[in-house]
Amino acid sequence: MIEIMESGPFNTVQDLGRPGYRDIGVSASGAMDPLAVRIGNILVGNDENAAAIEVQTFPFSLRFERRIAFAVTGADGNSHLDGSELLAWCAYIAEPGQLLELKQPPLLARSYISLGGGLDIPVVMGSRSTSLRGSFGGNAGRPLAKGDRIAVGEDAEMIMLPASGLAVVEPAVALREVFPAAVDGTLPIRALPAGEHDLFAGDGEAFWSQTWRISSRSDRTGYRLSGEPIKPTASIEMRSHGVVPGVIQVPPGGEPIVQMSDANTAGGYPKIAGVIECDLWRLGQARIGARLKFVRSTHAEARSVEQAVAGYVEDVRQTSRLVKRALKAMA
């Protein structure tokens, strides 16, 4: 069991989402940075899809009520256990009564807390993710609040962690050849032209060439981008059609909207592009006000990035398994 000691709005329980229900109007939800959840769960010995805590408003703190393994992944540090600073992307053992605190990270937007055994909450439509718009899943369909007590599953691998913790190289570093760094503070995000791209003519090129800023009207449903408006060459009347995370729509005002984890299941705005799936975690870590630029990608590049990420995850899985096996042999 854990107890939430301090929490801001919109901190929720998330796993990798609930696919398969968009046809009945149910968004997939899930972590904005799914790669962080996968790695955190591997470090503490969980299934990759185990429910974790997504923290996007700080400070946040919780108290452990029993001995448990945990890892903080995602955002760039600033977590403490009983006042001692912790490494990010590292699994530790917490003792009963210890306090885990997460303060505002220096650069990125969201931290994830994975707990050995996973959060033991009801599965709704195949997932433990919170749907804030639907008010179901996660912690009774609402954000976490001070005083909430959440059960944690049994942690079979807790004793197999090194006393100093088990750390991995974060993906931004391990995959730096695959994920280009920000240039002058502008994050490159790869995307593919979408169905109505050609209807934007010259403004279509302006979409790729200009720098966009994530506006304050953004949330888990979608990122609204501020910049020079782009518009199709003629007015378009479209029937609503299915959309998924990563789809970039252009409303009449001309400032694009990138659908995110709580993406609408359908929409009628023209689609100019779609972010490749493996770049969505980087977008999920971008803060309000961050600058980004879309880079035209290809299906071949998207598949290559996907393979590189899969290789990184497998390396983490194998390394974690070998370390724990060695510790078990020495016990």
Side-chain angles (χ1 to χ4, degrees), residues 181-205:
V183 179
D184 296 328
T186 300
L187 182 68
I189 296 293
R190 288 165 290 203
L192 298 169
E196 290 75 56
H197 179 275
D198 291 345
L199 299 179
F200 287 84
D203 275 6
E205 291 309 310

Side-chain angles (χ1 to χ4, degrees), residues 181-251:
V183 179
D184 296 328
T186 300
L187 182 68
I189 296 293
R190 288 165 290 203
L192 298 169
E196 290 75 56
H197 179 275
D198 291 345
L199 299 179
F200 287 84
D203 275 6
E205 291 309 310
F207 167 79
W208 300 101
S209 63
Q210 72 170 293
T211 298
W212 299 96
R213 189 178 293 273
I214 300 174
S215 83
S216 59
R217 297 178 295 159
S218 301
D219 55 22
R220 281 179 47 89
T221 298
Y223 280 3
R224 292 178 177 268
L225 306 180
S226 298
E228 190 65 30
I230 56 173
K231 296 188 178 182
T233 54
S235 61
I236 303 174
E237 292 187 12
M238 299 179 60
R239 292 184 177 181
S240 290
H241 49 271
V243 294
V244 296
V247 166
I248 305 171
Q249 298 174 290
V250 183

Side-chain angles (χ1 to χ4, degrees), residues 21-240:
Y21 296 95
R22 304 188 72 82
D23 60 326
I24 57 172
V26 178
S27 176
S29 298
M32 291 279 276
D33 181 351
L35 186 54
V37 170
R38 295 175 68 189
I39 298 303
N41 277 325
I42 290 172
L43 285 173
V44 298
N46 293 342
D47 180 88
E48 290 181 24
N49 192 34
I53 296 174
E54 179 178 88
V55 182
Q56 64 178 25
T57 49
F58 301 83
F60 176 89
S61 64
L62 63 82
R63 191 175 300 281
F64 298 97
E65 297 189 5
R66 66 172 173 84
R67 195 167 191 261
I68 192 169
F70 73 95
V72 180
T73 55
D76 44 333
N78 223 355
S79 57
H80 299 77
L81 184 66
D82 279 354
S84 297
E85 188 171 3
L86 302 175
L87 293 174
W89 303 89
C90 184
Y92 295 93
I93 298 291
E95 300 295 340
Q98 287 194 296
L99 183 70
L100 175 64
E101 298 175 280
L102 275 62
K103 301 177 182 179
Q104 182 70 56
L107 298 174
L108 302 181
R110 293 172 173 86
S111 292
Y112 293 86
I113 304 172
S114 298
L115 301 161
L119 298 177
D120 188 11
I121 56 178
V123 174
V124 180
M125 303 177 80
S127 171
R128 292 183 169 89
S129 283
T130 307
S131 172
L132 292 177
R133 297 171 71 190
S135 299
F136 66 87
N139 184 46
R142 62 170 175 80
L144 297 170
K146 180 179 179 180
D148 285 341
R149 298 178 72 241
I150 303 175
V152 180
E154 290 300 316
D155 180 7
E157 297 199 18
M158 176 177 62
I159 60 172
M160 299 180 194
L161 286 178
S164 58
L166 174 61
V168 297
V169 179
E170 64 180 282
V173 175
L175 296 169
R176 58 183 175 273
E177 300 298 325
V178 177
F179 293 105
V183 179
D184 296 328
T186 300
L187 182 68
I189 296 293
R190 288 165 290 203
L192 298 169
E196 290 75 56
H197 179 275
D198 291 345
L199 299 179
F200 287 84
D203 275 6
E205 291 309 310
F207 167 79
W208 300 101
S209 63
Q210 72 170 293
T211 298
W212 299 96
R213 189 178 293 273
I214 300 174
S215 83
S216 59
R217 297 178 295 159
S218 301
D219 55 22
R220 281 179 47 89
T221 298
Y223 280 3
R224 292 178 177 268
L225 306 180
S226 298
E228 190 65 30
I230 56 173
K231 296 188 178 182
T233 54
S235 61
I236 303 174
E237 292 187 12
M238 299 179 60
R239 292 184 177 181
S240 290

